[in-house]
Each structure stands twice: as C-alpha cells, then as structure tokens.
Amino acid sequence: MPHLQELIDWIIAEGLSTDTIETVLQGVAERLTDIGYSIVRASIAMPSIDPLQRGSSVAWYRSSGFLTEIQGHDAAGQELFQRSPVAYLLTNDLDYARWKLPPGPDAPPIPLLTELAELGATDYLMKLARFPGDTALAGVSFSMAVDQPEGFSDHQIAGLRQLMPALTLTCCRIATTRVAADVLAVYTGAGSSGRILSGHIRRGDGTAIYAAILLADLKNFTSLNERHAPDRIVAWLNEHFEAIGAPVEQEGGEILKFMGDSLLAIFPADIDRPAEACSRALSAARTAMDANAEVNRRRAERGEPELLADIVLHVGEVFYGNVGAARRLDFTAIGRAVNEAARMEKLADVIGRSLLASADFVSQAPGRFEEAGTFPLKGVARPAAIYAWPD
C-alpha cells in the first residue's frame, strides 16, 4: 500500500508540527479520498480535562466542511454523549464497531446513523484507541462513513487499521499539549501559564512589572464556615468568585490567586501611562460590586445568608514570577504595592465603604472617588491617603 504509507508518513510529520486536530482530520480525509475511499463524513473525538467541557468532537463533511461539538459536564452534555457511537462502544466494552446504512431494526438507537444514511452513506465504522497513563484523557475515536455502493472493502478496512497507530500517536501529542496549556491556564491564569510554558519555571524566575492591583475580600466568611456545611459554603464561594472574577477577566485583568475568601488580580500597565490599566481595573471593580450585589439579592430570596465584598484598588511595581519551594511554586505577584493593598483592605470597615483606592490609583482613574482620610498602614512607613467610592 504505497499510497497508504505516504499518508502514514504525513500523519507522523503533522504530529510534530501542528496543534490542531482539524488540520490532521482534513488531511487524512482528503488523502483517503484520493486513494479510493468515498468519504461522506470523518470525525475525531477526544475527552478533555477542563472544568467547562468533558470532551469534544470534530467532524469533516464532504459537502459542508467542519462541525465541532463540545460536550459539557451538565445534563445536556451527558445526554449528547449517551446518544453517541462512542458511548455505545464504551458501554459494550468494544474498541471497534461497524454498521451498514441505513440502519436495520437491530441497530442501536444512535441518531447519527440515521443522519448519515440521509446523507447517502452506506457504511459507517468507528475505532477507539487508548492513550497510555491513568488520566481522564483516556483515548481517541476515529470514525468514517462512505457512500460506496458496497461500503468499505476488506482492503480498505485493513488500511484503516494500519494507519490508526500513527493517527493515535498524533492525536495523543496534540491532546496532551492542549490539556497542559488549558489546565495550566485554569490554575494559574492565562498570562502566567504562557510565561511558565515559555520556560519561566525556576524559583525566582520573574520580572518587575508595573500594574494596577485589585484585591477583593468577602466579609463574614469565617462565621459562615462555623454555621453551615462545607458543600454549601463552597457553592456560595464559587458564586461570588464568579461574580467578581468574570469582570476582571473581561477587562483584561489576570486573577493570580484565590486566598480562602479573597481574590488577587493584576492589570499590567505601562509605567509611563498607567491610566489605561487603572481605568480597566476600576471598571472591573464597579461591575464586580454590582454582580456581587445581584448574587446576594438572589440568595436573600432563597432565605440564604449574603456575602458582602470589599474591593481595594492600588497601582505600583510588583515582582511577577515564581515564589515558593523548589518543587512547589506559585506564579504570583509580590512586593510593597501588594502588601499596601492588603493593608488597605482592613480599612473598609473603618471607613464604612466597600470600594477603596489609593491616592496613586485615583490620580490615574479619578471617577467619583471621595477623599476618605489619611490612615496608617501596618508595616508601611508613611500614612496613606485613601479614597472611597460612594455607595
């Protein structure tokens, strides 16, 4: 099979040069068509390790191009998965299945089989291949439907079995690279994960940057812990962190860490022109306060306790990089400006306002801030002029 060997060589080469399943799938489908497979549809599906999706599938249609389906962790995603050929194979402990089309009365109730028959397909097969290792990234499925009158020939099925190891290896490489980047971004933030993957992985690796700082703290969280079950506390905490964190990311900020009931984020700034970053931080803070109030309104309707939030805004130089033990690092921001923001948060109850800012910040993003007074900050040599946003 000289043409098939050329395809296998191409798959291996793509596995070393591309990060997109679509590129691989289209190349495989077009090259198989060139050597005699009359393909109506070809697809690759893989599980994921992602808080928003359990897996995805990419399908190439001869008539219409690509279709991508994302399966969430919710009930709709579970239903979509249960109606798929992959679920049928896994439920029946199979690695391979083939159905003549249109499906007969003994065929399983898989909607895709009927859909393919309506497209003119006469034969459909699916092959599962396992990835090594004990992770949720278990393997890949490759499926194909053809409209040749007699369906797949024995020669063609043998050819597909021959190319599967190369295709599996390529998909495994792409999937693990994608999961590494996605999971790292989930746990460290997009900016931090990019720096880590680019090689900033040693303790002390980092740089001094100028940034607007947003520090949010949920009030009375400790007392709630003493009165309610942990699962309810976690659910409430997630609601508030989503309300506060989403505006931060929408305004281009990066959440560096969640610290119990607090959130620390930065908006990198040009040291000579910090106003733009400060304006985005202020916009995020105001939206976050409104979103948090809406969460509390809904919770009050259910007879549940509210969690008020205090937010502090500051601007200054921080060290942005790796801090920690040799084998357990945290990619974060530290420095005097971060410490000052943390000390300022303690003044929210004293001043009686929920959104505070330093004089340095207000000079760049004045808004409707009102001067609240000058206060000593623990561990800081000079008193700080504090401004408050009117409630």
Side-chain angles (χ1 to χ4, degrees):
M1 295 184 180
H3 294 295
L4 187 63
Q5 186 56 53
E6 291 174 4
L7 173 54
I8 291 171
D9 293 342
W10 179 86
I11 293 172
I12 293 172
E14 286 299 297
L16 298 173
S17 62
T18 187
D19 285 326
T20 63
I21 290 294
E22 290 84 354
T23 299
V24 174
L25 178 60
Q26 182 172 354
V28 169
E30 291 176 348
R31 285 163 174 78
L32 286 174
T33 299
D34 290 343
I35 60 177
Y37 293 76
S38 184
I39 300 173
V40 175
R41 177 187 186 271
S43 73
I44 293 174
M46 289 185 294
S48 182
I49 303 176
D50 188 284
L52 300 180
Q53 58 179 267
R54 62 176 296 166
S56 63
S57 65
V58 178
W60 176 88
Y61 289 83
R62 184 175 63 199
S63 60
S64 57
F66 285 107
L67 174 66
T68 300
E69 288 187 331
I70 304 297
Q71 298 169 3
H73 293 286
D74 56 6
Q78 179 66 16
E79 181 181 359
L80 180 65
F81 175 73
Q82 290 299 332
R83 290 156 54 89
S84 70
V86 174
Y88 174 83
L89 266 67
L90 292 175
T91 301
N92 292 278
D93 197 26
L94 301 172
D95 287 335
Y96 172 82
R98 178 183 178 189
W99 292 278
K100 290 288 189 176
L101 301 176
D106 296 331
I110 300 174
L112 178 62
L113 300 181
T114 301
E115 294 170 16
L116 291 173
E118 292 173 350
L119 291 174
T122 58
D123 207 349
Y124 173 75
L125 62 79
M126 174 173 282
K127 180 74 173 70
L128 302 185
R130 313 284 178 173
F131 292 162
D134 185 20
T135 72
L137 199 65
V140 61
S141 74
F142 176 66
S143 68
M144 187 186 304
V146 296
D147 59 2
Q148 299 150 196
E150 301 301 322
F152 292 102
S153 68
D154 292 343
H155 179 76
Q156 288 177 331
I157 291 177
L160 294 176
R161 290 197 178 104
Q162 188 175 339
L163 68 80
M164 276 304 295
L167 183 60
T168 302
L169 186 61
T170 291
C171 290
C172 183
R173 205 282 301 166
I174 293 173
T176 52
T177 300
R178 181 179 300 172
V179 165
D182 291 347
V183 171
L184 195 60
V186 166
Y187 281 93
T188 68
S192 297
S193 67
R195 289 175 179 253
I196 293 168
L197 289 173
S198 68
H200 295 269
I201 58 172
R202 297 182 62 191
R203 182 169 53 177
D205 278 354
T207 186
I209 66 170
Y210 205 71
I213 300 164
L214 184 151
L215 178 65
D217 182 74
L218 297 172
K219 303 171 69 168
N220 301 321
F221 179 72
T222 301
S223 61
L224 285 183
N225 269 304
E226 296 172 354
R227 302 196 307 270
H228 298 279
D231 58 338
R232 299 188 72 188
I233 293 293
V234 169
W236 293 337
L237 198 61
N238 287 338
E239 284 185 310
H240 288 280
F241 278 151
E242 179 66 23
I244 297 170
V248 169
E249 294 182 330
Q250 289 165 6
E251 292 289 348
E254 180 171 5
I255 300 171
L256 295 180
K257 61 171 63 181
F258 296 98
M259 304 165 289
D261 56 356
S262 300
L263 175 156
L264 174 64
I266 61 170
F267 297 74
D270 186 329
I271 191 170
D272 296 320
R273 294 187 300 275
E276 191 269 339
C278 290
S279 294
R280 288 189 286 112
L282 175 57
S283 176
R286 293 184 60 195
T287 303
M289 296 296 290
D290 291 341
N292 195 67
E294 176 61 20
V295 170
N296 281 324
R297 185 192 63 79
R298 294 196 304 267
R299 185 168 300 137
E301 292 176 351
R302 303 193 297 264
E304 297 175 342
E306 64 180 6
L307 275 171
L308 301 177
D310 292 328
I311 296 180
V312 165
L313 298 169
H314 192 24
V315 63
E317 186 177 85
V318 300
F319 173 81
Y320 181 51
N322 288 305
V323 178
R327 296 294 298 177
R328 179 60 179 90
L329 298 173
D330 190 10
F331 203 101
T332 187
I334 63 170
R336 186 178 68 184
V338 177
N339 294 338
E340 290 170 349
R343 301 293 188 266
M344 287 169 55
E345 187 276 323
K346 305 301 181 185
L347 297 173
D349 288 338
V350 175
I351 296 171
R353 296 287 180 85
S354 297
L355 178 55
L356 304 181
S358 66
D360 288 341
F361 185 94
V362 173
S363 69
Q364 301 298 327
R368 293 168 52 206
F369 281 108
E370 301 171 349
E371 188 171 358
T374 300
F375 299 85
L377 301 180
K378 184 178 179 180
V380 178
R382 291 183 298 176
I386 304 297
Y387 289 76
W389 193 270
D391 291 336

